[in-house]
Amino acid sequence: MTQTTTSAARRIRGRAAALVVAGTALALLAPASVTATATAATTDSARAATAADPVSVLKFTAKERKEALAYWTPARIKAVGKSVDLGPTGPRTKTWRGTPLSTVGRLFFITAKGPSWCSATAVKSANKSAVMTAAHCVRLGSAPDMTNIDMVFVPGYHKGKQPHGAFAVRAVATPRSWQKESVNDMAALTVDTDKKGRKLTDVVGGQSIAFNRAVGGTIHSFGYPATSPQLGEELLYVSGKAKKENGRQFIPSDMTGGSSGGPWLADFNTTSGKGTLVSVNSSLDSFTPTKMYGEVFGATAKKVYDRAQKA
């Protein structure tokens, strides 16, 4: 397994952070990313092994993870929310006012254009530390050495509050097809324990996850879009029937940037706040959206998830 570290990218963090406000890139408009140093295989056999591996893994050092947590202060989180306004929240998109979803949160990171965010979800896993999101939230498609840095997951985020703390991302797994061809927009993250040494799903619980599930049924899609008046400060949602189209699936939706990586929950129970994760918010049909697309989680997605849950 070829792994990538981010030490070289860290050196340009200060410059990248200065490029925020109008330049902030958000979900669904695949964010520009920061160049990272790749550890290249030096033998033909190693190259062949890398090519055969359908999963690409990025790891952050202990120092980088500590710096990421230090970077994302409440003031910076508030500032990134105010740095972009994608217009009024659409009529289909509603504020979630049911049982607090401790498993869903904001994923903060830095791109080449500055601080930004996506949405993400804690899922059940062997290591109790796996989080699902979109691949474009962590690295630029069709660009093997382009990745975001300073990644922190804040589950249950609501209007500046972090009821369950913040979890630094220590590893990211994406399909190699995304890295090389911008295909299969999903990712699985492995996070550190919290400040008290507790594992993620011991703190917030985890959504179930399904692979090779038939497309259909009612889906609840959640996220933190950068539309007004919420500007990423509240969890929003859309519900609708999933349908298949050109190898992917979609639901009727007008939720937009900032919601990328947010969960698609089938069989969702509004009382318990639990369902089964079958995809994540990936892309829209237009700048005035009527459809939200997500990948159909199949064999590759399962391998990506397995890499994260065993890390």
Side-chain angles (χ1 to χ4, degrees):
M1 169 176 66
T2 298
Q3 297 170 352
T4 303
T5 59
T6 58
S7 9
R10 175 81 51 191
R11 293 198 293 269
I12 64 172
R13 182 181 66 181
R15 181 177 66 83
L19 300 176
V20 72
V21 189
T24 298
L26 286 172
L28 309 175
L29 302 172
S33 303
V34 181
T35 302
T37 302
T39 304
T42 56
T43 66
D44 290 340
S45 59
R47 291 191 189 98
T50 296
D53 188 347
V55 181
S56 176
V57 175
L58 163 75
K59 290 192 173 183
F60 296 95
T61 67
K63 181 174 182 291
E64 288 167 341
R65 298 186 320 256
K66 183 178 179 180
E67 289 177 347
L69 287 172
Y71 179 84
W72 285 108
T73 62
R76 285 197 173 108
I77 288 174
K78 186 175 181 180
V80 74
K82 290 183 175 181
S83 68
V84 61
D85 184 342
L86 298 180
T89 298
R92 281 186 176 274
T93 301
K94 309 297 182 184
T95 301
W96 177 248
R97 301 194 187 282
T99 301
L101 297 188
S102 58
T103 56
V104 184
R106 289 175 82 182
L107 176 67
F108 296 98
F109 49 84
I110 294 179
T111 78
K113 292 186 176 182
S116 190
W117 81 88
C118 275
S119 304
T121 311
V123 293
K124 294 178 180 178
S125 59
N127 59 10
K128 300 183 178 182
S129 303
V131 175
M132 303 301 290
T133 190
H136 77 255
C137 293
V138 300
R139 70 190 321 156
L140 190 66
S142 305
D145 300 331
M146 300 289 281
T147 183
N148 298 330
I149 61 172
D150 285 336
M151 303 181 72
V152 170
F153 177 55
V154 182
Y157 181 91
H158 180 74
K159 293 185 176 180
K161 295 180 180 179
Q162 301 180 28
H164 311 291
F167 295 78
V169 175
R170 72 170 184 262
V172 173
T174 57
R176 197 167 296 280
S177 56
W178 174 261
Q179 186 185 19
K180 292 185 175 181
E181 301 170 351
S182 299
V183 174
N184 211 342
D185 186 13
M186 56 79 59
L189 319 178
T190 308
V191 299
D192 278 344
T193 56
D194 68 6
K195 291 181 179 180
K196 297 180 180 179
R198 300 175 299 176
K199 292 186 176 182
L200 175 64
T201 59
D202 284 337
V203 178
V204 304
Q207 298 288 349
S208 298
I209 184 168
F211 302 93
N212 300 308
R213 179 183 182 275
V215 173
T218 299
I219 299 295
H220 282 71
S221 165
F222 293 88
Y224 291 85
T227 47
S228 55
Q230 295 87 2
L231 297 178
E233 288 295 305
E234 297 180 68
L235 182 65
L236 307 185
Y237 80 102
V238 169
S239 64
K241 299 285 186 179
K243 296 182 179 180
K244 209 166 187 178
E245 183 178 297
N246 298 324
R248 305 179 86 202
Q249 55 184 323
F250 76 88
I251 58 172
S253 177
D254 52 17
M255 196 154 53
T256 184
S259 68
S260 268
W264 285 30
L265 297 176
D267 305 319
F268 181 69
N269 185 310
T270 56
T271 301
S272 67
K274 293 296 178 67
T276 299
L277 186 80
V278 296
S279 191
V280 296
N281 295 326
S282 172
S283 60
L284 302 169
D285 59 336
S286 68
F287 281 97
T288 306
T290 62
K291 295 178 181 180
M292 174 75 77
Y293 289 91
E295 305 295 346
V296 178
F297 283 0
T300 298
K302 178 64 163 60
K303 289 176 182 178
V304 169
Y305 162 76
D306 282 343
R307 193 67 59 86
Q309 75 162 337
K310 294 173 184 176

